[in-house]
Amino acid sequence: MILASDNPFSAPRVEQLRFRFPEGDWTTLVQRLEGLKWRATIVGPQGSGKSTLLEQLVPHLEARGFVPRLMRLPTESKMAEKEAQLIEARTLKTPDFLLLDGAEQLTTRQWLPLRVAIDALAGAVVTVHRTSRLPTLLELSTTPALLNDLVSELTGGQLEPGEAAAILLRHRGNIRESLRELEERFSG
């Protein structure tokens, strides 16, 4: 039995991984965001890196003089919790920059007042599963090569040929869940 702290796939180690751009880099992303007038979405399925990208965007926005406000709408949240988050988001003003994770959960009734509030902000980036009401900043997907790259960074090794594809298939492309499987396998 391995100690949780020694598991290369433990949550603290996984959370330290840097975001991998499908193309470009932080400079390219921030320039594109500026071109979209600082209002955009990050699109991708669950476990594709949207939350990681949003979190790691914070220092790049701070460097531009913005005050990033990261908010999450977890799928398991109750309606009252989501409403409270939305009320808080609607109180923000420039130089606040809203980073909203999980916006695909918003109904049209919830989205419309938020969209009006976004106009009073310095900017907003939201994560969604499909193209949404704001322009797309970046569309994410996962690949076996990406999973192998993450495994290599965490362990210094590689998965067996075809194993990354099989793991991703079991988890419907969700990198987060794939890494959890590896964490359980490594600790067992």
Side-chain angles (χ1 to χ4, degrees), residues 115-171:
R115 181 62 184 97
V116 170
I118 286 173
D119 290 337
L121 300 174
V125 175
V126 302
T127 67
V128 291
H129 293 159
R130 289 179 207 77
T131 304
S132 186
R133 295 169 169 103
L134 292 172
T136 300
L137 175 63
L138 194 60
E139 191 158 349
L140 304 177
S141 62
T142 59
T143 64
L146 174 60
L147 181 56
N148 267 323
D149 187 39
L150 297 171
V151 167
S152 177
E153 183 173 334
L154 291 166
T155 67
Q158 288 285 313
L159 295 170
E160 294 294 321
E163 190 176 9
I167 293 170
L168 276 175
L169 183 62
R170 271 196 299 280
H171 297 287

Side-chain angles (χ1 to χ4, degrees), residues 9-159:
F9 300 102
S10 67
R13 290 185 182 191
V14 168
E15 289 167 8
Q16 296 300 314
L17 292 169
R18 67 192 187 294
F19 180 80
R20 266 82 166 162
F21 287 93
E23 56 186 49
D25 57 14
W26 285 109
T27 301
T28 306
L29 184 82
V30 172
Q31 287 172 346
R32 178 160 167 67
L33 181 55
E34 184 176 18
L36 295 172
K37 300 186 180 0
W38 303 107
R39 285 150 179 79
T41 59
I42 299 168
V43 180
Q46 287 185 332
S48 61
K50 298 181 307 293
S51 299
T52 300
L53 177 58
L54 206 61
E55 291 166 1
Q56 294 179 13
L57 180 57
V58 168
H60 300 277
L61 294 173
E62 289 172 336
R64 293 286 192 119
F66 297 119
V67 179
R69 304 291 185 186
L70 182 59
M71 296 183 170
R72 297 187 196 298
L73 297 174
T75 54
E76 58 278 351
S77 298
K78 299 205 178 339
M79 185 60 76
E81 294 168 311
K82 291 177 187 175
E83 288 294 335
Q85 289 265 22
L86 292 170
I87 289 168
E88 182 182 344
R90 290 191 296 260
T91 66
L92 302 176
K93 302 285 183 230
T94 297
D96 293 326
F97 195 111
L98 178 63
L99 300 171
L100 181 61
D101 195 10
E104 70 277 346
Q105 296 177 66
L106 299 176
T107 64
T108 300
R109 183 184 65 77
Q110 293 168 323
W111 176 259
L112 292 175
L114 179 63
R115 181 62 184 97
V116 170
I118 286 173
D119 290 337
L121 300 174
V125 175
V126 302
T127 67
V128 291
H129 293 159
R130 289 179 207 77
T131 304
S132 186
R133 295 169 169 103
L134 292 172
T136 300
L137 175 63
L138 194 60
E139 191 158 349
L140 304 177
S141 62
T142 59
T143 64
L146 174 60
L147 181 56
N148 267 323
D149 187 39
L150 297 171
V151 167
S152 177
E153 183 173 334
L154 291 166
T155 67
Q158 288 285 313
L159 295 170

